[in-house]
Structure formats: C-alpha cells, structure tokens
Amino acid sequence: MRPDEPGTPLIVSGHVLDGHGQPLAGAKLDIYHAADNGNYSGLYDDGVPKRNLRGHLFTGPDDRYTFTTITPVAYADPNVTAVDGVIEAVAALGRSLCRPAHIHYEVHNADLITPWRGEIYF
Ligand SMILES: [Fe+2]
C-alpha cells in the first residue's frame, strides 16, 4: 500500500492449515482487497498504482503469517449496477448491492491438490 493510504489501519494475522488440519509452513498467500473507496487497484485509470493493496507473503515455519494494510470497505460491482433496472429491483426487495467488506486470499502450496481461493469477510 502507499505510505499515505487512506483508510483505517489494520493488522491481519492467522495461520494456514491443510485439509487434514496440519500446518502449512511455507505456503504462498496471494492477498488483495478493495481500497477505502471500494475500488480495486489496476481496474481504473485513477492514478492508483496497479498493484496497490495487492501482494503475497509466505507462512512461517509455524504456519503463521501477519501483514499490515487498511480495512477494506463494502462495495457494489459496477458491472452489476450498470445493468438497467438492477438498482431499482434490489431496492424494491430491500436488499443491498454491496458485497460485505472482505479480503481475497489464494493459498498455494505443493501439498495442496489445487490452490485454495476464497475471501475472508468482516
Ligand atoms: Fe472483492
């Protein structure tokens, strides 16, 4: 992230286990999330560096990791909101177009059959 990244500072820590509950030391974590304005870097010509709030790290020998970032916010997908009638239909149903704030993870490790991809929600 940029040194002056807008948003609420956040320290994230955790540990990574395989499907059998065993620690995954040395697993590569690809991590990315939306900025404080709900945008992802690299999608808009807005002057934000393309790799902002994106990165990777490796779990330590004890399967643990920690990184510092800013707290992502909920956002509405502009590809969805651009569809005629969607905003009105969602409002009529009393629902929200926003996805809750979340961080995307991909876990890569030779011991996994395939990389794990998912999100961690707040
Ligand atoms: Fe997302």
Side-chain angles (χ1 to χ4, degrees):
M1 69 180 173
R2 298 167 291 179
D4 58 346
E5 190 66 37
T8 304
L10 176 68
I11 298 172
V12 180
S13 63
H15 65 116
V16 180
L17 306 175
D18 68 13
H20 302 288
Q22 298 301 308
L24 268 179
K28 179 183 177 188
L29 306 181
D30 285 323
I31 301 164
Y32 61 97
H33 64 80
D36 193 49
N37 63 3
N39 289 345
Y40 282 88
S41 64
L43 301 180
Y44 309 98
D45 185 17
D46 57 3
V48 176
K50 289 184 176 181
R51 299 290 304 164
N52 195 51
L53 301 174
R54 300 171 184 267
H56 70 269
L57 53 85
F58 294 88
T59 57
D62 58 355
D63 78 359
R64 297 199 170 273
Y65 69 92
T66 300
F67 62 93
T68 302
T69 186
I70 57 102
T71 304
V73 299
Y75 64 85
D77 185 333
N79 294 317
V80 173
T81 57
V83 176
D84 284 343
V86 165
I87 293 173
E88 294 80 6
V90 169
L93 292 170
R95 306 294 294 265
S96 171
L97 276 167
C98 287
R99 296 187 70 192
H102 57 277
I103 297 175
H104 292 265
Y105 278 74
E106 291 182 14
V107 179
H108 301 264
N109 186 277
D111 290 344
L112 298 175
I113 296 171
T114 184
W116 180 86
R117 293 180 177 89
E119 296 91 32
I120 293 178
Y121 287 85
F122 293 81

